[in-house]
Amino acid sequence: MLKRIKPFYLQNRFFYACIVIMVLFVLSFIFPRGFAIVKLVLLLLITLTVLDTILLFAAKNGVKGNRIFPEKFSNGDENPIRISLNNHYTFTVFVNIIDEIPEQFQVRDFSIHRKLEASSASEIEYKLRPVERGEYHFGKLNIYVTSVFGLIARRFTYDDNAMVPTYPSFMQLRKYDLIAISNNLHQYGIKKIRKIGHTMEFEQIKDYVLGDDLRTINWKATAKRSELMVNQFQDEKSQPIYSIIDKGRVMKMPFEGLTLLDYAINAALVISNVALKKQDKAGILAFSKKVENIVVAEKRTSQMNLILETLYNVSTDFFESDYSRLYADTKRNINHRSLMLLYTNFETLDSLHRQLPYLKGIAKNHLLVVIFFKNTELNQLITEPAETVQQAYDKVIAEKFAFEKRLIVNELQKYGIQSILTSPQDLTIDTINKYLEIKARGLL
């Protein structure tokens, strides 16, 4: 009996009708002639409620629902969730869908209202944007069905305890997947970089066309074919590209829900994919108190899956980062000259000077690029005019911090260390730009 009552819910319309009838009964004491009419209204309400109950509970499976979601979520991106509905009733119904979405989203008022025609199928889509990696557990998919009377609702429950893992932003991979082999880089916000000279890795001999460098003419092939032939060169391949991710407390700062650490992880995933498309070797490592999550730079077909799984499992307590351990590990384990993309954050020159000896040590054996972040929260303070003394002080301090970031760039350049000062939302594009620039100039 309890099982039958559980999906039965009286709606607001029923209670409003009851209130109206009670008011009419009170008025019937003043106007006795209306008492008979009020009794008829009460009888009508009871009849409609019984009829509504019979209509909704006559069918065993009136409305069927199914939640359709991707195999995994992409961190920091809008992920589509679809709900498939099938109305088996022979009349039009109204549904209120309450999906118990994972607790990480902290959404307490999720509700979707739809009208379903008789014996029809429908699909509803909504989107979720996760901001941290890990497992996301869905609860029940609750569908409350009402008829045209709207006096009672019947609940249907489906898809309990579904789990979706959230991985680093693989949607960015699709967005930038063709960058390494496409010439239309400006479509993605990637600047074109003029090559300085050319690399010496020979690719093929081809016919001369207008615009080819005359210095690349192959005179032996020209003599044999009796027409101009030129040597074609390509960017050097199989160069190790390492993404080094700082897991320390400086990467805990949030921006639009994501920590700087997650922005770095997403960018490392994309640049690894671009490097592999460019026929380079891609690898990663992360560090805080110690160096871990190491993937040795390789060019094998399974490398991207290995990098994706490793980045998914990057976890940290945001301890103070130990750059001496990073220097020692890279010196001991990475013997070939590599491009090191170090994702970290420096707020002051003093914080840079503490780590500068280790950065200079790494830069002796490798091409080091230090990638750190602008404090975008200060932009509003800097651009807004100051109207009070306190606002003037805040504005000056904000400008000081922004200026000190630029000083850090100059300080790194003094020691031949390249750097990228970027905002979190531009991190991926700026990192790809720097990588393409280094490849074009043959610096590695």
Side-chain angles (χ1 to χ4, degrees), residues 220-355:
K220 288 185 178 180
T222 298
K224 287 181 181 179
R225 295 282 299 272
S226 299
E227 56 185 44
L228 285 175
M229 307 292 291
V230 294
N231 294 330
Q232 184 174 352
F233 298 89
Q234 63 182 357
D235 290 335
E236 293 184 24
K237 299 179 180 179
S238 299
Q239 295 175 308
I241 313 296
Y242 276 95
S243 296
I244 304 175
I245 301 170
D246 184 351
K247 299 193 299 181
R249 61 179 181 171
V250 297
M251 300 293 280
K252 193 176 182 178
M253 183 183 297
F255 180 80
E256 293 184 354
L258 269 72
T259 62
L260 296 182
L261 174 63
D262 279 307
Y263 278 104
I265 287 173
N266 291 344
L269 182 66
V270 173
I271 197 66
S272 298
N273 185 54
V274 172
L276 290 170
K277 294 284 184 182
K278 283 289 220 178
Q279 303 299 315
D280 281 331
K281 299 176 181 178
I284 62 166
L285 58 93
F287 75 102
S288 58
K289 292 196 299 185
K290 59 181 180 179
V291 178
E292 49 196 354
N293 304 109
I294 302 171
V295 176
V296 178
E298 295 288 349
K299 201 170 60 174
R300 55 195 171 194
T301 54
S302 61
Q303 189 73 354
M304 271 311 298
N305 284 334
L306 181 59
I307 290 174
L308 180 61
E309 291 295 333
T310 303
L311 290 175
Y312 170 71
N313 291 305
V314 169
S315 59
T316 180
D317 293 323
F318 294 105
F319 291 113
E320 183 72 25
S321 299
D322 188 349
Y323 279 76
S324 62
R325 290 290 296 269
L326 174 65
Y327 168 68
D329 274 60
T330 53
K331 187 173 179 62
R332 181 172 62 251
N333 298 321
I334 304 177
N335 300 319
H336 298 285
R337 178 174 169 81
S338 308
L339 171 59
M340 300 283 195
L341 300 170
L342 173 60
Y343 299 91
T344 185
N345 198 28
F346 295 112
E347 290 294 339
T348 64
L349 272 172
D350 289 337
S351 62
L352 172 68
H353 286 146
R354 287 196 298 270
Q355 314 301 344

Side-chain angles (χ1 to χ4, degrees), residues 8 19 79 85 115 140 189 209 211 230 241 255 332 367 374 376 387 390 396 412:
F8 181 93
I19 292 170
N79 296 268
L85 298 172
K115 177 182 177 182
K140 297 175 181 178
V209 294
V230 294
I241 313 296
F255 180 80
R332 181 172 62 251
L367 179 57
K374 297 176 183 176
T376 53
E387 297 178 356
Q390 182 62 48
V396 170
L412 289 168

Side-chain angles (χ1 to χ4, degrees), residues 113-265:
H113 296 269
R114 286 291 185 276
K115 177 182 177 182
L116 297 181
E117 299 296 334
S119 303
S120 65
S122 180
E123 195 169 85
I124 298 168
E125 180 177 293
Y126 67 93
K127 294 184 178 181
L128 295 175
R129 181 179 179 264
V131 293
E132 58 183 71
R133 289 162 291 112
E135 295 182 351
Y136 285 65
H137 293 270
F138 285 82
K140 297 175 181 178
L141 175 61
N142 301 289
I143 303 173
Y144 295 86
V145 182
T146 58
S147 70
V148 68
F149 299 118
L151 296 172
I152 69 162
R154 181 182 178 184
R155 185 183 70 174
F156 296 92
T157 304
Y158 300 100
D159 294 345
D160 193 11
N161 294 325
M163 190 279 289
V164 183
T166 297
Y167 277 74
S169 181
F170 53 83
M171 285 187 178
Q172 287 192 45
L173 287 184
R174 298 168 190 164
K175 180 179 178 182
Y176 297 110
D177 203 26
L178 298 177
I179 282 180
I181 56 176
S182 171
N183 291 324
N184 299 321
L185 301 180
H186 60 280
Q187 294 179 0
Y188 298 90
I190 309 298
K191 63 183 180 183
K192 293 184 177 180
I193 297 167
R194 183 175 63 88
K195 289 193 175 228
I196 300 177
H198 57 75
T199 57
M200 296 306 294
E201 189 163 324
F202 177 77
E203 184 178 11
Q204 64 177 349
I205 300 173
K206 70 179 187 71
D207 294 331
Y208 173 83
V209 294
L210 189 65
D212 283 338
D213 191 346
L214 296 176
R215 294 173 297 178
T216 62
I217 293 176
N218 187 317
W219 294 107
K220 288 185 178 180
T222 298
K224 287 181 181 179
R225 295 282 299 272
S226 299
E227 56 185 44
L228 285 175
M229 307 292 291
V230 294
N231 294 330
Q232 184 174 352
F233 298 89
Q234 63 182 357
D235 290 335
E236 293 184 24
K237 299 179 180 179
S238 299
Q239 295 175 308
I241 313 296
Y242 276 95
S243 296
I244 304 175
I245 301 170
D246 184 351
K247 299 193 299 181
R249 61 179 181 171
V250 297
M251 300 293 280
K252 193 176 182 178
M253 183 183 297
F255 180 80
E256 293 184 354
L258 269 72
T259 62
L260 296 182
L261 174 63
D262 279 307
Y263 278 104
I265 287 173

Side-chain angles (χ1 to χ4, degrees), residues 388-429:
T388 65
V389 175
Q390 182 62 48
Q391 289 177 351
Y393 284 144
D394 293 340
K395 184 179 176 72
V396 170
I397 292 171
E399 289 176 344
K400 175 184 178 296
F401 276 111
F403 179 68
E404 197 152 4
K405 290 276 188 178
R406 297 193 292 272
L407 288 180
I408 292 172
V409 173
N410 293 335
E411 188 72 10
L412 289 168
Q413 286 178 347
K414 279 170 51 179
Y415 300 100
I417 300 173
Q418 300 211 33
S419 62
I420 302 174
L421 176 59
T422 182
S423 57
Q425 68 266 33
D426 295 330
L427 173 62
T428 301
I429 289 176

